[in-house]
Amino acid sequence: MSHHIVKFENVTFIYPDGTSALKGISFTINHGESVGVVGANGSGKTTLLMHLNGYLLPTSGTIKIGDLILNKKTRIEIRKKVGVVFQNPDDQLFMPTVYEDVAFGPINMGLDEHSVDFKVRNALEIVGCYDLKNKPPHHLSGGQKRAVAIASVISMDPDILAMDEPSSNLDPKSRRALINLLKSFKHTKIIASHDLDMILDVCERCIVIKDGVVVADGPSNIILSDQKLLEENNLELPLILQRR
Amino acid sequence: MNFDREFFNLGYLDRLSYKDTIIHNIDARVKVIGAIAYIIAVLSFPKYAVIPLIPFFSFQIFSIIIGEIPISFIIKRIFVVSPFILFIAIFNPFFDRNTAFYLFNIPISYGILSFFSILIKFVLTVSIIIILISTTSFSGLCYAMRCFKVPEIFVNQLLFMYRYIFVLAEEAMRMVRAKELRSFNKKGLELKFYVKLAGNLLIRSLNRAERIYYAMLSRGYNGNMPYNKRKKLGFPDLLFILIILIMIYFFRFLEPVNSMGRFILRLIR
Amino acid sequence: MHMADALISPAVGVGFWALSLGGIAYSAKKLKDNIEEKMIPIMGILGAFVFAAQMINFTIPATGSSGHLGGGMLLSIILGPYAGFVVMASILTVQALFFADGGLLALGCNIWNLGFYTSFIAYPLIYKPLIKHNKFVFLATLISAVIGLQLGAFSVVLQTYFSGISELPFKTFLLLMQPIHLLIGIVEGVVTYGIVKYVTMSKPEILEHSLGNYSGKVDGTFIKKIVIGFLILTIITGGILSWFASSNPDGLEWSIEKVYGKPELPEKEHTLTNILKSVQEKISIFPDYTFKKDESKDAEAGEEKYPNIDLGTTLSGVFGAFIVLSLTFLTGFILKTIKKKRPS
Ligand SMILES: Nc1ncnc2c1ncn2[C@@H]1O[C@H](COP(=O)(O)OP(=O)(O)OP(=O)(O)O)[C@@H](O)[C@H]1O
Ligand SMILES: [Mg+2]
């Protein structure tokens, strides 16, 4: 299945103000894999995720999502395949009620009323928030916001899920619920985070980025127990591994 | 304006509007029409009308009871807004001194009548708006506006605005609090600092707009905001508006209280 | 300087509602023609920003009192006049609903007073020409903020006066309002300039972006159109009125002479009450209500002493004309929209 492949080839990106955020990134993610992206603040994780559905286009290099090469024309098609959940759920939930927010994607995909309703219901039930459907986003707790943000993306049935810091600002219980939720997804997953315990738990593979280049790429349990590598990247051993 | 209080009020009203009562469940369009008819009826009374206005309080009483709105909240709100209106109305007794009638041998001037008329109209109109907003969700109001053919762009950005008032107000509050911990200026921020703070907030807001736009794009935004299908008005909605309009008509044109007052006045004389 | 419901007559309220809705519809049309899809969230967020910024007070130097941002000028500078006007209108809408600042009927007046003059007079006629070569930016901001607020304050006085609810004499009210708003305008100008400068200094690209995509270019003919539109409408209204007057001489008391008659109030104080009373009786939408019959012999005597004072009819004529004007204005906008839609 070349279907849900994500392939970065020597991707660089320079912001308009001259900041060089990605300096030649290459990797391939296969169908069904779940991959953690870790690195220090400002290493380029968010920038990388912004390329996945073409909000940013590479300055040089190519990105292939499934059979499509990312460019201005294909990005609309690619957005249907890749769902991105952002760092701050407040930026993601912009509609007046939870229901309308989760319905935003399906309606834009041109679905009829009935299927929209089905998708919204389904997505909200998966994240356990169907009861909140008539609430405005500003009445939700941080964890609920995060869950609804995820629902608003999975209601579009993406093949690939990308998330930026999904576990930040969550209390331990909500975090645990989120981890279980993520583990239950069969999608290809790409998760950028500083929460190495979560990465270890959810992702079998881990990519370490430093100053816009990949410095390590391999199985999570090996990479995340490499104390020296982690410390070079302002990271610490996951708590579970520290106790040993 | 005190920052924390304003923010609290906004959130408080917003929360009230999500209760589940008969009035809350009435269609927003019907409530908006009712409120506008009410306000126009009240304001159409001549400037010296005082007594005939009184029956209009029945709407407030009814909604406060059924809609579970704390009356103390409404009263507080009225006091907060009243200085300007008092300032304007207070001149009437001074400029309009002709005696209208004698009440127990005390001459009551037209100015005094119009002064009270303004105050009562003020209380009536302000409180009906508070009642409208605390029994109707904002998205319901926007939905009503759409049905009334208010331009789409206006309604769409109004929805965005309302959604992000809460986010930005909180952000601003955090910034102010951080400053207040360092200084003890009670009256307000120093102008220089205010400019910096507002400038910062503006930059953050524009950055946020960018991120929101990104989130919209990634969910297939193509320049049109999708919205819910039009709902039909139900029987309770129609009944509600019918009753409201009849009551307004009754109070405005038949003036039950005024006829009574006239009768009593004649008796006194 | 928010107008309150209790201070305006329904006629004035409805008239300005029509005007403001017309302004919004026109701006929306303009935006729709050349909007970037990004503008909707930007407008909304900036509205929320102004709202948040308004909530914070600052001390006004040398006076000891405190003030807060208005935001009209700032919005016009960042978003251009059309989007600026629409956002200002929505801020006022939320204020009217949530803070009971103003009111529902007065909302039209408030949008007009605080939005129109800044976006469509001060910005295009003062700010834009002055900053043409990137000079005089401070002066431009200051003057346009002041003028915008002065016009707004004047408008408040006019609306109050024409509503006839307040007894505050026109001149007194004017002398109270204009100087206060001169001060407020200066502060607004200084703060607006400060914020824009701060943002352009620390993040030059950010404003360029929102300005660059939507240059805020004013349709220079818009103002001309308004002026010409008003003139034409006045003539049309005059026509309608005289038609009314001739076809229905006894019924509607409107006539051209009355509409354009002298609107000043006589100076003598003791006549004021009666005049205003008769004004009010005639202005009110439902003029059948009479208070004097039963309660006041004085007033009745007064009425006989000063019978048939034309002022009442005059003013009610002005209102009538005003409503017709506004409605015609609105119809004009609608017709125009439909016309523009047809070829495309
Ligand atoms: N809009 C922008 N304009 C210019 N430079 C930017 C912009 N956004 C990010 N950068 C820069 O790009 C680099 C990578 O930033 P990015 O946000 O991708 O890091 P990150 O790994 O997500 O960091 P964090 O862990 O703090 O979220 C940083 O040096 C940052 O300053
Ligand atoms: Mg990041």
Side-chain angles (χ1 to χ4, degrees):
Chain A
M1 281 249 268
S2 73
H3 226 64
H4 307 148
I5 270 184
V6 176
K7 190 166 187 171
F8 274 55
E9 264 174 274
N10 229 345
V11 171
T12 68
F13 182 78
I14 301 173
Y15 277 105
D17 70 348
T19 312
S20 181
L22 302 182
K23 299 171 183 159
I25 295 229
S26 304
F27 58 76
T28 304
I29 295 174
N30 290 312
H31 174 69
E33 247 186 316
S34 74
V35 179
V37 178
V38 300
N41 287 133
S43 56
K45 304 182 294 292
T46 300
T47 309
L48 192 153
L49 289 197
M50 302 253 250
H51 281 78
L52 282 175
N53 65 359
Y55 184 65
L56 298 178
L57 294 173
T59 310
S60 72
T62 53
I63 297 174
K64 217 170 150 194
I65 311 276
D67 308 322
L68 296 172
I69 290 180
L70 175 69
N71 58 39
K72 263 202 160 122
K73 275 180 217 143
T74 55
R75 64 178 170 188
I76 305 224
E77 205 45 45
I78 284 174
R79 277 177 193 149
K80 291 181 189 161
K81 295 182 185 233
V82 187
V84 185
V85 181
F86 300 95
Q87 207 158 347
N88 184 347
D90 270 329
D91 299 342
Q92 177 129 358
L93 307 176
F94 45 79
M95 293 296 278
T97 64
V98 166
Y99 185 95
E100 285 167 271
D101 210 289
V102 180
F104 187 89
I107 294 178
N108 278 332
M109 287 165 78
L111 299 180
D112 63 73
E113 211 179 326
H114 190 74
S115 359
V116 168
D117 191 62
F118 176 79
K119 300 239 167 191
V120 173
R121 198 188 171 101
N122 190 39
L124 280 174
E125 266 162 6
I126 288 175
V127 301
C129 289
Y130 189 69
D131 291 343
L132 302 174
K133 69 178 175 7
N134 291 322
K135 281 208 170 197
H138 56 267
H139 286 184
L140 304 180
S141 74
Q144 289 168 335
K145 276 184 196 167
R146 185 85 57 176
V148 174
I150 292 173
S152 72
V153 166
I154 57 179
S155 67
M156 297 175 71
D157 283 339
D159 304 319
I160 300 159
L161 261 182
M163 301 193 197
D164 201 353
E165 316 267 9
S167 63
S168 59
N169 298 323
L170 294 187
D171 63 28
K173 195 168 164 230
S174 317
R175 177 174 164 276
R176 179 46 54 193
L178 174 84
I179 289 174
N180 291 336
L181 180 67
L182 293 182
K183 277 163 106 172
S184 73
F185 288 156
K186 300 281 173 284
H187 310 76
T188 304
K189 279 171 292 219
I190 302 169
I191 301 173
S193 184
H194 297 289
D195 181 350
L196 300 191
D197 281 277
M198 177 191 66
I199 299 278
L200 193 59
D201 208 347
V202 177
C203 307
E204 67 261 22
R205 178 177 158 197
C206 184
I207 295 175
V208 183
I209 297 187
K210 188 180 184 182
D211 286 334
V213 288
V214 176
V215 290
D217 183 351
S220 296
N221 52 5
I222 294 176
I223 293 208
L224 296 180
S225 55
D226 184 343
Q227 194 155 6
K228 190 164 158 279
L229 174 71
L230 293 180
E231 269 161 18
E232 275 169 13
N233 287 289
N234 294 2
L235 300 166
E236 283 177 347
L237 276 181
L239 288 175
I240 318 177
L241 302 181
Q242 277 178 24
R243 288 208 196 97
R244 273 195 285 191
Chain B
M1 256 196 247
N2 173 290
F3 187 85
D4 283 359
R5 196 190 61 219
E6 293 299 343
F7 182 57
F8 167 75
N9 276 343
L10 188 64
Y12 186 68
L13 271 170
D14 184 69
R15 265 173 202 283
L16 280 182
S17 72
Y18 286 92
K19 279 192 175 175
D20 184 22
T21 73
I22 301 173
I23 298 190
H24 283 83
N25 293 332
I26 297 285
D27 191 286
R29 287 169 284 183
V30 161
K31 280 184 275 187
V32 170
I33 291 173
I36 290 173
Y38 177 93
I39 290 171
I40 291 182
V42 165
L43 297 182
S44 73
F45 273 100
K47 68 191 285 189
Y48 301 116
V50 176
I51 307 296
L53 291 169
I54 307 293
F56 280 86
F57 278 108
S58 48
F59 294 87
Q60 272 78 349
I61 295 168
F62 180 76
S63 352
I64 286 170
I65 296 168
I66 308 280
E68 296 171 15
I69 307 158
I71 188 163
S72 59
F73 177 72
I74 297 184
I75 293 172
K76 253 188 248 157
R77 197 62 244 172
I78 288 171
F79 273 109
V80 173
V81 208
S82 53
F84 177 66
I85 199 101
L86 273 176
F87 167 76
I88 304 283
I90 201 75
F91 287 95
N92 280 17
F94 293 104
F95 285 103
D96 193 358
R97 289 189 169 162
N98 282 3
T99 307
F101 58 89
Y102 289 87
L103 191 67
F104 307 117
N105 285 335
I106 302 163
I108 304 292
S109 72
Y110 279 110
I112 290 180
L113 281 181
S114 61
F115 173 76
F116 280 108
S117 180
I118 292 178
L119 285 199
I120 294 179
K121 284 173 180 170
F122 167 72
V123 171
L124 286 172
T125 49
V126 167
S127 54
I128 208 73
I129 293 171
I130 297 176
I131 287 170
L132 170 71
I133 195 72
S134 52
T135 58
T136 315
S137 71
F138 195 77
S139 57
L141 286 175
C142 286
Y143 171 74
M145 284 186 214
R146 246 172 220 151
C147 296
F148 298 149
K149 296 275 184 288
V150 176
E152 218 174 284
I153 288 179
F154 180 77
V155 182
N156 287 343
Q157 60 87 40
L158 189 61
L159 279 170
F160 268 99
M161 178 181 150
Y162 187 71
R163 165 74 182 94
Y164 285 98
I165 281 174
F166 294 94
V167 178
L168 295 190
E170 217 163 289
E171 202 163 321
M173 187 154 58
R174 260 182 271 133
M175 291 163 91
V176 174
R177 287 230 177 100
K179 164 74 185 169
E180 270 172 355
L181 290 179
R182 278 176 272 141
S183 74
F184 298 93
N185 191 349
K186 284 265 150 56
K187 265 220 154 139
L189 297 173
E190 219 176 288
L191 201 59
K192 236 199 292 173
F193 186 80
Y194 176 82
V195 165
K196 254 193 217 164
L197 190 144
N200 259 322
L201 190 62
L202 178 59
I203 291 174
R204 288 191 200 195
S205 308
L206 286 167
N207 280 331
R208 187 186 286 277
E210 189 86 11
R211 294 197 300 271
I212 292 165
Y213 177 60
Y214 175 27
M216 294 168 76
L217 279 184
S218 60
R219 288 200 269 146
Y221 175 65
N222 51 14
N224 298 315
M225 296 291 284
Y227 38 80
N228 293 344
K229 289 266 143 41
R230 221 166 243 237
K231 283 167 283 184
K232 273 214 176 105
L233 291 179
F235 177 70
D237 302 325
L238 296 173
L239 190 69
F240 179 86
I241 191 67
L242 191 69
I243 294 173
I244 295 277
L245 292 180
I246 288 175
M247 276 171 76
I248 290 174
Y249 179 83
F250 189 71
F251 291 152
R252 178 60 189 86
F253 293 105
L254 305 182
E255 293 176 10
V257 172
N258 193 45
S259 323
M260 243 159 43
R262 228 176 283 169
F263 180 68
I264 292 169
L265 267 175
R266 226 174 263 157
L267 279 187
I268 291 173
R269 245 187 280 154
Chain C
M1 64 170 203
H2 286 46
M3 273 303 260
D5 273 355
L7 290 179
I8 59 169
S9 66
V12 169
V14 171
F16 276 92
W17 253 107
L19 278 178
S20 292
L21 269 182
I24 291 172
Y26 186 79
S27 302
K29 174 87 185 69
K30 275 277 163 194
L31 286 172
K32 203 165 192 171
D33 287 351
N34 43 15
I35 197 175
E36 261 224 32
E37 2 171 279
K38 204 182 200 166
M39 279 298 275
I40 300 247
I42 289 185
M43 283 162 74
I45 307 304
L46 280 182
F49 157 75
V50 169
F51 212 98
Q54 279 181 344
M55 285 175 163
I56 310 167
N57 281 357
F58 50 77
T59 45
I60 300 173
T63 63
S65 61
S66 65
H68 64 84
L69 181 73
M73 201 56 215
L74 186 64
L75 286 171
S76 282
I77 292 174
I78 298 177
L79 293 169
Y82 300 112
F85 179 70
V86 170
V87 174
M88 202 59 206
S90 53
I91 291 172
L92 291 164
T93 306
V94 171
Q95 280 175 346
L97 290 170
F98 280 84
F99 297 156
D101 251 346
L104 269 193
L105 192 65
L107 181 57
C109 295
N110 286 325
I111 291 176
W112 190 259
N113 300 345
L114 292 164
F116 180 82
Y117 300 111
T118 307
S119 294
F120 294 123
I121 306 282
Y123 179 81
L125 300 184
I126 297 160
Y127 184 81
K128 269 274 158 176
L130 270 180
I131 61 153
K132 216 163 214 164
H133 306 291
N134 254 333
K135 279 188 245 163
F136 315 120
V137 179
F138 176 66
L139 209 63
T141 318
L142 189 70
I143 296 177
S144 43
V146 167
I147 301 269
L149 274 162
Q150 285 293 304
L151 289 170
F154 184 60
S155 199
V156 169
V157 176
L158 279 182
Q159 287 156 357
T160 311
Y161 170 72
F162 278 122
S163 292
I165 311 278
S166 163
E167 298 286 350
L168 207 55
F170 184 77
K171 268 190 199 155
T172 317
F173 196 19
L174 200 66
L175 285 176
L176 277 172
M177 288 290 277
Q178 304 302 133
I180 294 175
H181 284 91
L182 181 63
L183 179 68
I184 297 177
I186 291 171
V187 173
E188 177 82 14
V190 171
V191 172
T192 303
Y193 174 75
I195 294 176
V196 173
K197 195 173 155 217
Y198 179 85
V199 174
T200 35
M201 296 253 282
S202 48
K203 274 226 145 190
E205 74 280 358
I206 203 164
L207 278 187
E208 233 161 68
H209 198 62
S210 57
L211 284 174
N213 285 331
Y214 183 73
S215 64
K217 210 182 92 216
V218 193
D219 184 350
T221 56
F222 179 57
I223 303 300
K224 255 187 243 157
K225 272 186 212 156
I226 286 187
V227 175
I228 293 170
F230 257 120
L231 282 177
I232 293 173
L233 290 170
T234 315
I235 294 165
I236 294 172
T237 327
I240 293 172
L241 286 178
S242 53
W243 177 78
F244 262 122
S246 59
S247 71
N248 195 1
D250 301 321
L252 285 165
E253 293 162 310
W254 297 348
S255 74
I256 298 219
E257 309 95 79
K258 278 170 188 161
V259 170
Y260 300 106
K262 288 184 285 175
E264 309 113 40
L265 283 169
E267 301 294 21
K268 278 176 250 160
E269 207 218 323
H270 62 280
T271 62
L272 204 62
T273 313
N274 296 308
I275 294 164
L276 286 172
K277 207 156 69 62
S278 67
V279 170
Q280 185 54 42
E281 278 168 20
K282 266 135 194 160
I283 292 167
S284 71
I285 287 185
F286 316 100
D288 54 355
Y289 172 77
T290 45
F291 191 86
K292 60 177 191 289
K293 259 182 218 156
D294 298 302
E295 278 98 349
S296 168
K297 288 194 171 163
D298 292 13
E300 254 175 312
E303 200 77 356
E304 271 163 30
K305 236 191 242 168
Y306 307 103
N308 284 336
I309 294 156
D310 254 325
L311 190 70
T313 12
T314 309
L315 281 185
S316 71
V318 171
F319 289 127
F322 188 74
I323 293 182
V324 175
L325 264 180
S326 319
L327 286 179
T328 326
F329 211 70
L330 192 65
T331 324
F333 277 131
I334 293 168
L335 281 181
K336 209 163 135 206
T337 317
I338 295 170
K339 225 187 205 169
K340 269 202 181 160
K341 257 184 199 158
R342 211 183 292 148
S344 64

